C-alpha cells in the first residue's frame, strides 16, 4: 500500500496548492452560472422580417386570427437601426440582379410579435413587420436573418417572396418552394392521417442539463490530462522523479498516486456541479464509475505524453493538439446533423454519449459498462507504458 | 532602448525556435484553420436526415433526396438501428397502404412535423412547378457558423499567446533568468515589451494566415488588426500577471483554466443571451472583441462601431495594466 501513503502525501501537498482550490472555485462559478444565467428552456433568438403587401385590413385579420389561435403574441413595437450598406439581390428564377445602395443610417419602428410553439408553449421566433419592403430587405441583408414578403392579389390568393442569404443549401430553397404548392388545409388534413411510431426513449436534456456532459468531459477528462502533465513537469523540475530512484517506493506507485490525486479533484469538482443540477435523475453508481474510469484513462495518457518531454513548453504543441482533437466531438454533441464516422474513434465521443445517457436517467447500461471496460483497460495499458518509460529514463 | 528590446525579442525567438514553441504558435492556428475549412461544410449542412429502405419506390427516394439527406438500408431492422443512434434521424417506411414515420421519440418537434409535411407533399404529388414562392438571394458565401468558428479561433490564438508568456515566465523564474535580468541594464518595461513582441507578432501573423486560408480575403484588415492588437494587450497583461504570481507550472496551468472562463463565458453570452440581457457581458473585453470580429468577418462592421469596441477593449486592458503594474514590477524584482 505504498501508493496509498504516497497518494495521501500528494493529496496533502495538492490541498496546500492554488490549483486544487481553483478547480473547486471554477466548479462553484459554473454551478452559479448554470443556475442563474442558463434557462432550462431558453427562448429562441431566431428572427424573421416580414412585409405584408396587402390591404391593412386584410393584414390585421390575418394577425388577429393568429393571436386568437394562440400562435403569436404581440410585443411592444421595436426600434430598429438600419446601417449604411450596399448589396446586390439576385432573383433565383430569372438570374437577374438588382443593386441596392443605402448611404444614410436610419431608425424605424417595427410591429413585433413572438411566434409561440403550440406543443411546448415556448417562443420559437420573433417576427418584425415592416411598413416598407425596402427596409425589410435592407435589414435582412445586414443582420443575416431571413426576410419575406407576403403578397395578396386581387382575388385574395397569397404568394410569397423569400430573401435568403445565399449560403443556405439547395435543399433549403427546395423546401421553401415545395411548402407553397398546396393549400395549407389540405396538408394539415393529410398530416393528421399519418402513422407515427416511436421506438426509443423520449427523455431529453433541457438546455441547462445538456451542458453537464460537456462540462464533465472537458473539465474532468481533458483538464485531468493537462493538469497531470503539469504535476509531472513540476516534479521533474524539482527532481522528485529522480529521488524515487533512491527510495523504497516505486515509480509505479508515484504515477498511480498522481492519477488518484486527479481523480479525487475531478470527483469533487464534478459532484459540485452535477448533484445540484441533475438531482436524483442520473444513476450515480454508473456516473461515478464512468467518471472514474474515463478520468483514469486520460490521466494515464497525460502521464505517457509527459514521459516524452522534460518541460511543459516542449510538450505544449502535442498537449494542445491532443486537447483540440478531443474537443471536436462537442460539435457532434450540439449539432446532431454533424456526425462523421471518424469522429466516433475519438475517446471523448463515447464519453459525451455515455454521460448524456446517464444524465437522462435512461442510460444504455451495456454501452456505459462496455466503454468503462475499454477506458479502464486503455488506462492500465497507457499507465504501464508510462511506467516503463519513466523507469527507463527517470529524468526524461 | 530599442536595441535592448530587440535583443530580448531575438533571445526569446531563439529559445522559442529551439523549443519548437514558435512552430506550435504558427502551426496550431493554421492546422485549426485547415480543420475548419475541411469540417465546416459538414457542420453547416444542417439539412434533415431520413433513413429509408432500398426497396422503397425509386421516385419516393428521389423526391425525398431533393429536400433531405437520405440514407438507405436493406432491412427494417437496420433502419430502426439507425433511428436509435445518437443523432436526430427519422425514417419513412412504406406500409401496405401509405407510409409510416418512425421516430426515436426524443427528437426536436420540428423533425416529426417536417417528415410528415414532406411525405404528405409527396403523396399529394406536389412539385416545384406549382409553387407560389419566389426566392431572392444576397449571394453571400460565408455562413455565420463558419464566421463564429473563425472568431473563436482568433480568440484562441490570442489566448495561446498569453498562455505562452505565462508559462515562459514561470520557466524563466525557475531558471533564474529573471533575476539575471534584474542586474543587467535591461529595464523591466523593456523586458515586458520585448517578451510581448514575439507572442504578439507571431499570433497576429497566425491570425492573418488562418483568415487567408479560410477565404476571408476581402474583409477590412485594418479593423481586424486593430481589434486583435487591443485584445492582445489584455491577454499579455494577464499572461504576465499569471506568470509572475505563479510559483510553479501547476499554478500557471490553473491560471490558464481561470482565463478560459471569461473567454468562453463571453462567447456563450454573446451567442445565447437575448438582447435585453446582453448588458450583463459588457464588463468583459473578450465580449467586445468577439462582437467586433463578428461584425468585421460578416462584413457588416462600420468604423464608428469598431472604434468604439476597440476603445472599450483598450480602456479595460490599459486599466488592468496600470492596476497590475506594481504587482508585475514587484514580481519581477523578487524573482
Amino acid at each position: 500500500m505504498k501508493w496509498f501513503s504516497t497518494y495521501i502525501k500528494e493529496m496533502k501537498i495538492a490541498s496546500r496548492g492554488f490549483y486544487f482550490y481553483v478547480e473547486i472555485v471554477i466548479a462553484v462559478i459554473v454551478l452559479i452560472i448554470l443556475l442563474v444565467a442558463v434557462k432550462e428552456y431558453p427562448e429562441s433568438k431566431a428572427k424573421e422580417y416580414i412585409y405584408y403587401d396587402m390591404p391593412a385590413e386584410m393584414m390585421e385579420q390575418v394577425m388577429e386570427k393568429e393571436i386568437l389561435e394562440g400562435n403569436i403574441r404581440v410585443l411592444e413595437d421595436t426600434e430598429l437601426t438600419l446601417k449604411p450598406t450596399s448589396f446586390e439581390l439576385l432573383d433565383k428564377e430569372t438570374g437577374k440582379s438588382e443593386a441596392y445602395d443605402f448611404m444614410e443610417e436610419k431608425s424605424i419602428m417595427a410591429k413585433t410579435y413572438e411566434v409561440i410553439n403550440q406543443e411546448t408553449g415556448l417562443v420559437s421566433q420573433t417576427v418584425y413587420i415592416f411598413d416598407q419592403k425596402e427596409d425589410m430587405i435592407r435589414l435582412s441583408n445586414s443582420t443575416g436573418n431571413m426576410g419575406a414578403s407576403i403578397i395578396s392579389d386581387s382575388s385574395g390568393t397569397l404568394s410569397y417572396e423569400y430573401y435568403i442569404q445565399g449560403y443556405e443549401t439547395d435543399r433549403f430553397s427546395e423546401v421553401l418552394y415545395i411548402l407553397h404548392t398546396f393549400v395549407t388545409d389540405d396538408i394539415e388534413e393529410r398530416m393528421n392521417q399519418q402513422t407515427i411510431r416511436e421506438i426509443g426513449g423520449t427523455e431529453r436534456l433541457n438546455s441547462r442539463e445538456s451542458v453537464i456532459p460537456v462540462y464533465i468531459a472537458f473539465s474532468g477528462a481533458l483538464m485531468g490530462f493537462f493538469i497531470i502533465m503539469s504535476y509531472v513537469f513540476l516534479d521533474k523540475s524539482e527532481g522528485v522523479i529522480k529521488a524515487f530512484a533512491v527510495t523504497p517506493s516505486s515509480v509505479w506507485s508515484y504515477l498511480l498516486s498522481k492519477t488518484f490525486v486527479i481523480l479525487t479533484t475531478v470527483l469533487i469538482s464534478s459532484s459540485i456541479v452535477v448533484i445540484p443540477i441533475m438531482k436524483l435523475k442520473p444513476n450515480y453508481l454508473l456516473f461515478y464509475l464512468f467518471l472514474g474510469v474515463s478520468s483514469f484513462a486520460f490521466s494515464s495518457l497525460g502521464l505517457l505524453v509527459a514521459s516524452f518531454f522534460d518541460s511543459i513548453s516542449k510538450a505544449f504543441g502535442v498537449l494542445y493538439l491532443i486537447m483540440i482533437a478531443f474537443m471536436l466531438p462537442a460539435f457532434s454533441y450540439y449539432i446532431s446533423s454533424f456526425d462523421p464516422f471518424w469522429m466516433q474513434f475519438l475517446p471523448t465521443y463515447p464519453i459525451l454519449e455515455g454521460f448524456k445517457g446517464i444524465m437522462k436517467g435512461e442510460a444504455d447500461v451495456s454501452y456505459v459498462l462496455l466503454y468503462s471496460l475499454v477506458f479502464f483497460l486503455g488506462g492500465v495499458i497507457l499507465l504501464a507504458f508510462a511506467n516503463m518509460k519513466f523507469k527507463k529514463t527517470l529524468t526524461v | 532602448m530599442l536595441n535592448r528590446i530587440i535583443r530580448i525579442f531575438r533571445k526569446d525567438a531563439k529559445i522559442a525556435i529551439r523549443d519548437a514553441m514558435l512552430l506550435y504558435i504558427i502551426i496550431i492556428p493554421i492546422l485549426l484553420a485547415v480543420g475548419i475549412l475541411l469540417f465546416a461544410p459538414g457542420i453547416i449542412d444542417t439539412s434533415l436526415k431520413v433513413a429509408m429502405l432500398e426497396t422503397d419506390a425509386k421516385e419516393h427516394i428521389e423526391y425525398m433526396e431533393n429536400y433531405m439527406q437520405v440514407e438507405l438500408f436493406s432491412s427494417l431492422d437496420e433502419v430502426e438501428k439507425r433511428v436509435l443512434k445518437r443523432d436526430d434521424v427519422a425514417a419513412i417506411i412504406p406500409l401496405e397502404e401509405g407510409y409510416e414515420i418512425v421516430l426515436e421519440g426524443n427528437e426536436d418537434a420540428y423533425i416529426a412535423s417536417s417528415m410528415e409535411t414532406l411525405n404528405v407533399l409527396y403523396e399529394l404529388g406536389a412539385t416545384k412547378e406549382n409553387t407560389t414562392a419566389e426566392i431572392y438571394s444576397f449571394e453571400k458565401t460565408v455562413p455565420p457558423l463558419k464566421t463564429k468558428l473563425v472568431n473563436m479561433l482568433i480568440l484562441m490564438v490570442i489566448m495561446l499567446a498569453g498562455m505562452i508568456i505565462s508559462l515562459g515566465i514561470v520557466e524563466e523564474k525557475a531558471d533564474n533568468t529573471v533575476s539575471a535580468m534584474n542586474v543587467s541594464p535591461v529595464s523591466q518595461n523593456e523586458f515586458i515589451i520585448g517578451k510581448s513582441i514575439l507572442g504578439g507578432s507571431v499570433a497576429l501573423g497566425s491570425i492573418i494566415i488562418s483568415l487567408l486560408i479560410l477565404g476571408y480575403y476581402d474583409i477590412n484588415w485594418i479593423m481586424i488588426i486593430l481589434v486583435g492588437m487591443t485584445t492582445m494587450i489584455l491577454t499579455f497583461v494577464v499572461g504576465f500577471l499569471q506568470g509572475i504570481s505563479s510559483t510553479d507550472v501547476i499554478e500557471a496551468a490553473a491560471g490558464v483554466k481561470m482565463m478560459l472562463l471569461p473567454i468562453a463565458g463571453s462567447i456563450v453570452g454573446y451567442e445565447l443571451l437575448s438582447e435585453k440581457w446582453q448588458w450583463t457581458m459588457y464588463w468583459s473585453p473578450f465580449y467586445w472583441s468577439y462582437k467586433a470580429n463578428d461584425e468585421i468577418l460578416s462584413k457588416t462592421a462600420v468604423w464608428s462601431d469598431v472604434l468604439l469596441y476597440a476603445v472599450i477593449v483598450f480602456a479595460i486592458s490599459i486599466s488592468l495594466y496600470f492596476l497590475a503594474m506594481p504587482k508585475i514590477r514587484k514580481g519581477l524584482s523578487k524573482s
Side-chain angles (χ1 to χ4, degrees):
Chain A
M1 294 299 278
K2 280 196 194 84
W3 75 268
F4 188 73
S5 51
T6 316
Y7 161 68
I8 297 293
K9 182 203 78 184
E10 293 287 347
M11 271 315 294
K12 277 182 190 165
I13 295 169
S15 63
R16 281 186 217 129
F18 176 55
Y19 172 70
F20 186 75
Y21 297 100
V22 165
E23 272 293 326
I24 291 168
V25 168
I26 287 179
V28 173
I29 293 173
V30 169
L31 175 66
I32 293 168
I33 291 172
L34 285 177
L35 288 173
V36 176
V38 181
K39 284 184 181 175
E40 289 177 304
Y41 300 99
E43 290 172 353
S44 167
K45 281 183 81 184
K47 290 173 186 166
E48 194 173 333
Y49 305 126
I50 297 181
Y51 169 70
Y52 282 93
D53 188 358
M54 59 180 70
E57 314 82 67
M58 190 174 171
M59 186 196 122
E60 273 164 27
Q61 275 179 7
V62 172
M63 302 314 281
E64 269 170 31
K65 183 173 172 265
E66 295 292 327
I67 293 166
L68 282 173
E69 287 175 1
N71 294 327
I72 60 171
R73 190 162 55 207
V74 187
L75 298 182
E76 274 184 31
D77 290 359
T78 309
E79 186 178 2
L80 299 166
T81 305
L82 312 179
K83 290 181 186 175
T85 182
S86 57
F87 55 87
E88 288 201 350
L89 188 61
L90 175 82
D91 183 334
K92 297 255 284 186
E93 284 305 298
T94 62
K96 282 183 185 166
S97 288
E98 192 180 345
Y100 288 79
D101 204 352
F102 302 99
M103 305 298 283
E104 299 295 321
E105 189 170 296
K106 179 181 172 187
S107 286
I108 54 162
M109 296 302 288
K111 290 191 182 72
T112 311
Y113 300 90
E114 282 178 338
V115 180
I116 313 294
N117 181 323
Q118 293 284 23
E119 280 183 35
T120 60
L122 296 169
V123 175
S124 60
Q125 69 174 346
T126 308
V127 170
Y128 300 89
I129 311 288
F130 290 74
D131 293 332
Q132 302 289 327
K133 186 176 175 180
E134 208 175 60
D135 291 343
M136 178 271 290
I137 295 172
R138 184 175 168 181
L139 205 64
S140 174
N141 173 66
S142 63
T143 59
N145 297 313
M146 195 162 80
S149 283
I150 302 174
I151 307 141
S152 168
D153 64 13
S154 52
S155 65
T157 308
L158 297 178
S159 62
Y160 304 83
E161 286 176 358
Y162 286 102
Y163 297 85
I164 62 172
Q165 302 302 315
Y167 45 68
E168 297 87 349
T169 59
D170 288 341
R171 289 193 184 101
F172 179 78
S173 301
E174 293 298 318
V175 170
L176 289 180
Y177 283 128
I178 202 80
L179 281 177
H180 298 293
T181 46
F182 279 83
V183 182
T184 320
D185 293 344
D186 286 349
I187 299 174
E188 279 174 7
E189 193 187 322
R190 291 292 286 261
M191 275 176 73
N192 294 334
Q193 296 164 7
Q194 296 269 307
T195 318
I196 293 182
R197 181 162 59 96
E198 290 183 354
I199 57 172
T202 53
E203 192 66 39
R204 286 179 70 86
L205 294 179
N206 63 41
S207 292
R208 186 183 291 160
E209 292 169 342
S210 67
V211 178
I212 301 287
V214 181
Y215 170 76
I216 300 165
F218 293 160
S219 179
L222 280 187
M223 286 311 285
F225 166 73
F226 178 29
I227 297 302
I228 204 160
M229 285 179 75
S230 310
Y231 270 129
V232 171
F233 289 128
L234 173 67
D235 287 354
K236 273 187 177 184
S237 67
E238 290 179 349
V240 175
I241 299 181
K242 266 186 188 172
F244 267 87
V246 290
T247 66
S249 188
S250 63
V251 175
W252 174 261
S253 62
Y254 162 77
L255 297 178
L256 204 61
S257 68
K258 282 286 176 207
T259 309
F260 272 82
V261 170
I262 295 294
L263 279 185
T264 311
T265 318
V266 168
L267 287 181
I268 294 170
S269 61
S270 300
S271 301
I272 288 172
V273 179
V274 173
I275 295 170
I277 302 278
M278 301 308 303
K279 300 183 182 76
L280 296 173
K281 203 167 167 185
N283 178 336
Y284 280 103
L285 197 63
L286 272 185
F287 168 64
Y288 283 113
L289 170 75
F290 202 53
L291 183 65
V293 289
S294 55
S295 301
F296 167 67
F298 274 83
S299 302
S300 301
L301 179 66
L303 287 172
L304 183 64
V305 175
S307 70
F308 287 93
F309 302 93
D310 58 9
S311 75
I312 197 150
S313 306
K314 286 178 182 161
F316 197 77
V318 177
L319 185 152
Y320 206 77
L321 281 179
I322 291 177
M323 285 181 71
I324 295 285
F326 286 171
M327 279 180 193
L328 290 177
F331 287 111
S332 279
Y333 178 81
Y334 278 116
I335 308 166
S336 71
S337 59
F338 178 67
D339 193 30
F341 183 66
W342 56 265
M343 189 83 87
Q344 298 169 24
F345 293 101
L346 294 171
T348 33
Y349 186 96
I351 290 184
L352 285 170
E353 281 314 295
F355 281 126
K356 189 178 172 186
I358 292 169
M359 292 305 138
K360 281 198 287 193
E362 50 182 37
D364 180 347
V365 178
S366 58
Y367 181 90
V368 174
L369 290 179
L370 173 71
Y371 276 99
S372 297
L373 186 67
V374 169
F375 282 123
F376 177 72
L377 291 176
V380 169
I381 292 166
L382 290 170
L383 193 63
F385 274 123
N387 182 45
M388 272 164 58
K389 190 83 178 41
F390 276 111
K391 262 167 63 178
K392 218 185 239 176
T393 58
L394 285 177
T395 54
V396 178
Chain B
M1 179 188 166
L2 197 65
N3 265 347
R4 285 195 291 267
I5 291 173
I6 292 170
R7 231 173 270 157
I8 293 170
F9 166 75
R10 277 168 56 189
K11 180 209 82 175
D12 273 8
K14 266 186 197 166
I15 294 169
I17 291 167
R18 196 183 58 212
D19 289 354
M21 187 66 92
L22 202 62
L23 208 63
Y24 296 147
I25 315 174
I26 298 168
I27 284 182
I28 289 171
I30 293 172
L31 280 178
L32 291 175
V34 173
I36 293 174
L37 201 67
L38 294 176
F39 305 144
I43 297 173
I44 289 151
D45 185 359
T46 51
S47 314
L48 288 172
K49 282 184 183 173
V50 63
M52 296 176 82
L53 283 171
E54 285 168 355
T55 51
D56 201 339
K58 199 178 164 213
E59 63 269 23
H60 188 213
I61 295 171
E62 283 173 355
Y63 188 89
M64 289 303 166
E65 276 174 342
N66 289 326
Y67 313 107
M68 296 187 275
Q69 298 178 57
V70 176
E71 290 182 30
L72 296 175
F73 297 90
S74 56
S75 68
L76 181 62
D77 191 42
E78 278 183 42
V79 168
E80 290 187 351
K81 269 188 196 160
R82 181 66 190 91
V83 171
L84 287 172
K85 279 194 177 175
R86 56 163 294 282
D87 53 344
D88 284 346
V89 173
I92 300 178
I93 302 296
L95 300 173
E96 278 184 22
E97 218 173 283
Y99 290 90
E100 178 185 59
I101 292 163
V102 182
L103 298 168
E104 185 175 358
N106 57 7
E107 295 88 351
D108 272 326
Y110 82 92
I111 290 186
S113 63
S114 304
M115 294 289 157
E116 286 178 277
T117 308
L118 288 169
N119 208 43
V120 165
L121 287 168
Y122 168 73
E123 289 178 324
L124 289 169
T127 61
K128 189 179 165 183
E129 283 67 42
N130 308 326
T131 190
T132 54
E134 284 177 50
I135 297 179
Y136 296 85
S137 166
F138 297 113
E139 290 296 278
K140 293 180 189 171
T141 50
V142 183
L145 192 58
K146 186 176 170 186
T147 302
K148 289 180 205 319
L149 290 175
V150 175
N151 202 349
M152 286 177 208
L153 173 72
I154 293 174
L155 280 190
M156 205 185 259
V157 174
I158 292 172
M159 197 192 83
L160 187 65
M163 272 168 81
I164 284 163
I165 288 184
S166 163
L167 293 171
I169 289 183
V170 170
E171 285 190 351
E172 291 223 26
K173 277 163 69 180
D175 295 342
N176 287 324
T177 47
V178 180
S179 313
M181 185 274 300
N182 282 329
V183 289
S184 74
V186 177
S187 73
Q188 286 178 341
N189 277 336
E190 288 163 4
F191 179 73
I192 291 169
I193 295 169
K195 281 201 92 61
S196 304
I197 287 177
L198 178 71
S201 53
V202 174
L204 215 53
S206 306
I207 290 171
I208 292 169
I209 296 170
S210 305
L211 288 173
L212 289 174
I213 289 174
L214 287 158
Y216 289 84
Y217 311 114
D218 53 349
I219 52 169
N220 191 324
W221 288 98
I222 302 169
M223 285 183 178
I224 276 282
I225 292 168
L226 175 74
V227 175
M229 285 176 79
T230 46
T231 316
M232 254 179 242
I233 297 173
L234 179 83
T235 44
F236 290 166
V237 175
V238 175
F240 268 101
L241 259 181
Q242 283 175 351
I244 293 295
S245 55
S246 305
T247 50
D248 55 49
V249 74
I250 292 285
E251 289 189 8
V256 167
K257 195 167 177 180
M258 285 293 272
M259 199 165 140
L260 273 173
L261 266 185
I263 294 180
S266 302
I267 297 171
V268 172
Y270 179 78
E271 295 295 347
L272 297 182
L273 286 176
S274 61
E275 261 158 45
K276 65 180 175 188
W277 289 105
Q278 289 281 321
W279 63 269
T280 57
M281 301 307 303
Y282 286 178
W283 57 272
S284 167
F286 298 111
Y287 168 86
W288 294 106
S289 175
Y290 187 81
K291 186 178 169 70
N293 287 336
D294 189 40
E295 291 180 15
I296 299 166
L297 295 172
S298 358
K299 294 179 215 160
T300 56
V302 287
W303 266 112
S304 56
D305 289 349
V306 172
L307 281 176
L308 174 71
Y309 305 150
V311 166
I312 294 172
V313 175
F314 183 74
I316 298 174
S317 309
I318 216 75
S319 310
L320 188 70
Y321 174 77
F322 284 118
L323 281 173
M325 212 46 219
K327 195 167 181 192
I328 292 176
R329 282 186 191 286
K330 204 173 157 190
L332 286 174
S333 307
K334 268 186 172 176
S335 301

